[in-house]
Amino acid sequence: MTPVELAEVLGEPPVPEGTWEGEAGYVSAAALRRRVPAEELAGRVRELDGVSLVEVRPDGFLRIVVSEPGELADGVGPVDLPEPPWPDFPRTWENPGFVVRYAHARARAVLRWARELGVPPEGFRGELLDGPYDRRVLRVLAELPGRLVSREPGWETYLVRLALAYHDAHEHAPAVPVGDEAPGPVHTARVRLAEAVTGVLPGPERL
């Protein structure tokens, strides 16, 4: 279940909540904004596959928990975001432009390595993106639909957060086999996550 799919019922994208390390939750003020009974809207959301919990909070917001947040990695298409006017140099971690462009280049490299190492492009299983580093990337990606319709999306901060989350995942949750490891479904899932990141972060093929 993805935020885009939830938006089809809610009428607007929900906002991800928490760290997602334990559970993947969203909150939505759709019932208040659309002036529909919160329980009625909650009932419609409960009928969706992949939704494990829907609560109506005292303030009228809906709290929604999805069972397989990794599915959203398969639904992030390329987006044309304005690249902030960051300088190319210095190429250090203090330069947000370097942080973002290097993350994009790393994700592009993963796609090349995956082809060379025989990681199957088919057979994506979102439930395998359940490690803490994968989930941190997913958590930031889940904000994208809401930011795309926001009047103040805050792209500079968002791109840096996504880049930093991906750097951690790249280093601690490899998307391609290491050593004598054989390509497996988890690599297919993480390569798909890398592909989603390349569609959001601006940057060159190589850096």
Side-chain angles (χ1 to χ4, degrees), residues 71 125 182 184:
E71 290 182 3
R125 292 170 54 192

Side-chain angles (χ1 to χ4, degrees), residues 1-2 24 50-52 66-72 125-127 135:
M1 178 54 57
T2 71
V51 171
S52 57
V66 299
S67 55
E68 293 183 8
E71 290 182 3
L72 73 84
R125 292 170 54 192
E127 73 272 15
R135 282 199 167 215

Side-chain angles (χ1 to χ4, degrees), residues 77-200:
V79 292
D80 186 18
L81 300 182
E83 183 174 356
W86 289 315
D88 189 21
F89 293 95
R91 290 184 172 177
T92 65
W93 294 104
E94 286 70 36
N95 178 3
F98 169 76
V99 172
V100 170
R101 296 178 190 121
Y102 184 35
H104 176 92
R106 277 182 139 181
R108 294 295 302 176
V110 161
L111 304 186
R112 295 194 300 272
W113 297 338
R115 290 191 294 268
E116 295 169 2
L117 295 172
V119 175
E122 300 84 15
F124 171 77
R125 292 170 54 192
E127 73 272 15
L128 297 179
L129 296 173
D130 60 351
Y133 296 102
D134 298 319
R135 282 199 167 215
R136 287 173 197 168
V137 178
L138 292 168
R139 168 62 177 76
V140 183
L141 286 173
E143 298 177 21
L144 185 61
R147 289 181 180 270
L148 286 170
V149 298
S150 173
R151 294 179 181 177
E152 298 181 4
W155 289 126
E156 291 192 20
T157 301
Y158 176 77
L159 292 174
V160 172
R161 287 177 51 233
L162 178 57
L164 289 172
Y166 184 71
H167 282 303
D168 285 343
H170 182 83
E171 294 173 8
H172 299 286
V176 294
V178 177
D180 296 331
E181 186 182 12
V186 69
H187 300 115
T188 298
R190 287 175 176 166
V191 169
R192 194 69 58 85
L193 185 62
E195 186 175 4
V197 168
T198 66
V200 179

Side-chain angles (χ1 to χ4, degrees), residues 24 46-47 54 71 90 93 114 153 163 182 184-185:
R46 290 188 186 105
E47 295 176 356
V54 182
E71 290 182 3
W93 294 104

